[in-house]
Amino acid sequence: MVDADAIVIEDDEDVKLGCLQALALEGIKAIGYDSVEAVPRPLSQDFRGVIISDIRLPGMDGMSFLAKLTNHDPDLPVIMITGHGDVATAVQAMRDGAYDFIQKPFASQHLVSVVQRALEKRRLAMEVRRLRRQLAAKGDLESRIVGHSPAIVELRELVQNVAAVPTDVMIFGETGTGKELIARCLHDLSGRRGPFVALNCGGLPETLFESEIFGHEAGSFSGATKQRIGKIEYANGGTLFLDEIESMPMAMQVKFLRVLQERVVERLGSNKVIPVDFRVIAATKADLLELSKEGQFRSDLHFRLNIVTIDLPALRNRREDIPLLFEYFVNQAATRLNREPPPIREQVVRELIAHNWPGNVRELRNQAERYALGLRSAPGFEAAEGPVSLATTVENFERSLIAEELKRNDGNISRTAEAMAIAKTTLFDKIRKYDIRVKEG
């Protein structure tokens, strides 16, 4: 990616140098090239600068380059430099999408003035683009992180707020709460152009871990017949998701910490240092601080990763979302199986709300798929933790009703108590008892 406010393409060395110096004096960072072919490709649509190009160039000419640029990014301002005999061509360039043209010879201040206006236009276009992405992301998040409980509303807001922040993230949550889903949402909304690379630290033998994450050169160890790019290097420009980070071997934690601090990686069997630009999203169900006190996880790595933390609620703590999630998964499964989704009976909903869901959302999804197939519940579902007592069923149902009424009243305690015809003190007691998150609008 080109790190500059302006790219100047001019084969006349004196003209190019004059442009670069004039822009530098005004604090505009510019890079010069002798030809279109020398410009790094492809230019990202997130490039925040402008292009200044001569019309007549060796190799591809300025007009052909303009056509490619406007096709790739119509909002990118392109300023054409023209000689006296090329004015008609420059006018045509304006019709074809160029921002402006400058005729040789030109005053330095005129160039600076045109570039400053073009940069302001680019800034406004990028801001509009960012706002559009933000609006689209909000709708997209609601379809991916499903639920209306205060905990999930808060989670969506947090994901949207930190997605574009270039910092590492730690996700905490029980098995099946959707840690990889949240990691993918963070990556998709981050604007990073590189890949999303997932690695389960608990699923790799310790002997293969170093080669898998750092890569290796051919011949670096027995069986290494060819070069292998490691997960860190492959995630360059993107996101590295490390699930079950608590399972990373201690010896690897030391090496990985160095990569995080230096942002360079060395393949096994190589002395070459490779710069890497990647974001780490780590996930765990364990208390890493407690593990570090016990000497089972490095405290410096824990603190290095634990910059932004996201806590995922267990499904039993947001039971009001269960009916919506179940319907969502049933419809998904029915669509995939090319059949009509079966109606969801009230008795089924009551059983779902009463269940304790040790497997969280993953377990609920499995139940929904079985339901879409017309199968009975999975073995042990009804009695996963023994028979559900009447008191437990009533409590679960009561919790769901209170959470739903709070949501309907934007978290206002007084209005909720009035709507449910109970005293405010009673409502407060039940909110504490059921650990319901209250978010006032």
Side-chain angles (χ1 to χ4, degrees):
M1 183 175 176
V2 179
D3 180 22
D5 300 318
I7 293 175
V8 179
I9 310 170
E10 172 60 71
D11 60 331
D12 186 317
E13 193 64 30
D14 292 336
V15 175
K16 180 177 69 177
L17 184 60
C19 291
L20 295 177
Q21 289 177 340
L23 295 170
L25 286 171
E26 296 297 326
I28 300 172
K29 185 179 179 181
I31 300 177
Y33 299 99
D34 296 327
S35 65
V36 168
E37 288 75 15
V39 179
R41 307 287 182 82
L43 278 177
S44 167
Q45 288 193 331
D46 291 330
F47 173 59
R48 295 182 173 274
V50 301
I51 305 292
I52 306 160
S53 175
D54 197 352
I55 287 180
R56 296 183 181 274
L57 292 167
M60 180 182 290
D61 60 47
M63 293 295 286
S64 300
F65 191 42
L66 170 66
K68 282 199 168 189
L69 289 172
T70 52
N71 184 56
H72 173 67
D73 185 355
D75 296 325
L76 178 61
V78 181
I79 301 165
M80 308 301 295
I81 298 176
T82 175
H84 179 70
D86 290 325
V87 173
T89 306
V91 172
Q92 182 59 46
M94 295 280 287
R95 295 194 185 104
D96 292 343
Y99 173 75
D100 205 344
F101 73 90
I102 303 173
Q103 186 177 347
K104 296 178 184 177
F106 51 84
S108 297
Q109 194 52 47
H110 178 53
L111 169 70
V112 169
S113 177
V114 173
V115 170
Q116 286 175 334
R117 291 199 307 271
L119 282 171
E120 179 61 15
K121 177 179 182 292
R122 183 62 168 169
R123 187 191 68 78
L124 291 172
M126 296 298 286
E127 179 65 13
V128 169
R129 188 178 294 176
R130 185 188 69 81
L131 291 171
R132 284 175 178 165
R133 281 178 183 168
Q134 201 171 59
L135 287 171
K138 187 172 183 180
D140 185 47
L141 275 182
E142 288 183 358
S143 66
R144 296 174 71 178
I145 306 175
V146 179
H148 297 312
S149 64
I152 290 301
V153 172
E154 186 178 321
L155 174 63
R156 281 197 295 262
E157 289 178 359
L158 180 57
V159 169
Q160 189 169 348
N161 289 337
V162 305
V165 178
T167 188
D168 299 330
V169 177
M170 178 71 77
I171 302 174
F172 294 94
E174 296 179 7
T175 298
T177 48
K179 294 186 285 291
E180 184 165 348
L181 168 66
I182 299 303
R184 286 186 178 276
C185 288
L186 287 167
H187 171 73
D188 292 344
L189 300 180
S190 69
R192 299 184 71 85
R193 298 293 180 180
F196 177 87
V197 180
L199 177 67
N200 188 315
C201 298
L204 275 177
E206 188 169 344
T207 53
L208 297 178
F209 201 98
E210 189 169 9
S211 172
E212 187 71 20
I213 196 167
F214 297 109
H216 64 252
E217 297 290 347
S220 57
F221 56 86
S222 178
T225 56
K226 59 182 180 179
Q227 183 190 79
R228 177 181 175 83
I229 303 298
K231 297 294 187 184
I232 295 173
E233 191 177 345
Y234 186 58
N236 191 29
T239 300
L240 177 65
F241 173 58
L242 297 174
D243 199 6
E244 297 186 34
I245 185 73
E246 72 277 8
S247 301
M248 181 181 285
M250 290 293 284
M252 293 304 102
Q253 291 179 31
V254 179
K255 296 183 179 182
F256 186 62
L257 180 62
R258 178 178 175 272
V259 173
L260 287 179
Q261 291 170 338
E262 305 295 333
R263 296 292 164 169
V264 295
V265 67
E266 293 179 35
R267 300 185 197 127
L268 285 175
S270 172
N271 293 322
K272 182 181 178 183
V273 174
I274 303 169
V276 283
D277 168 27
F278 67 105
R279 181 190 204 177
V280 175
I281 300 177
T284 182
K285 59 181 180 292
D287 185 338
L288 295 184
L289 188 58
E290 190 62 32
L291 290 180
S292 66
K293 289 177 182 176
E294 297 171 359
Q296 298 179 41
F297 196 85
R298 290 188 63 92
S299 59
D300 46 5
L301 179 57
H302 168 243
F303 291 124
R304 179 64 183 79
L305 289 171
N306 198 24
I307 299 172
V308 174
T309 60
I310 296 178
D311 291 299
L312 303 189
L315 186 57
R316 63 183 172 275
N317 293 332
R318 57 179 185 112
R319 294 181 188 271
E320 60 269 41
D321 287 333
I322 290 173
L324 178 63
L325 277 166
F326 189 72
E327 182 181 14
Y328 175 77
F329 290 139
V330 166
N331 288 335
Q332 267 193 340
T335 300
R336 189 173 64 254
L337 298 168
N338 195 26
R339 58 172 63 191
E340 284 294 317
I344 301 172
R345 301 184 303 276
E346 188 175 336
Q347 175 60 30
V348 171
V349 173
R350 285 198 294 269
E351 291 174 2
L352 293 171
I353 291 175
H355 186 56
N356 203 42
W357 300 108
N360 289 291
V361 178
R362 184 181 300 152
E363 183 186 358
L364 179 64
R365 183 190 291 113
N366 292 341
Q367 287 295 328
E369 292 194 4
R370 294 178 65 84
Y371 192 82
L373 286 167
L375 302 175
R376 296 176 51 139
S377 299
F381 169 70
E382 295 86 348
E385 303 200 359
V388 180
S389 68
L390 176 62
T392 300
T393 302
V394 171
E395 285 182 352
N396 289 338
F397 190 64
E398 185 178 51
R399 183 190 190 283
S400 178
L401 285 177
I402 292 171
E404 187 63 31
E405 196 62 44
L406 279 166
K407 181 169 72 73
R408 191 177 295 116
N409 288 284
D410 298 322
N412 187 288
I413 302 292
S414 299
R415 290 205 305 268
T416 302
E418 185 179 346
M420 300 190 77
I422 59 176
K424 276 178 63 175
T425 53
T426 303
L427 180 59
F428 269 122
D429 289 341
K430 291 184 180 295
I431 287 172
R432 281 196 296 270
K433 175 183 176 181
Y434 298 130
D435 191 25
I436 299 173
R437 298 192 194 186
V438 179
K439 182 174 175 136
E440 298 217 18

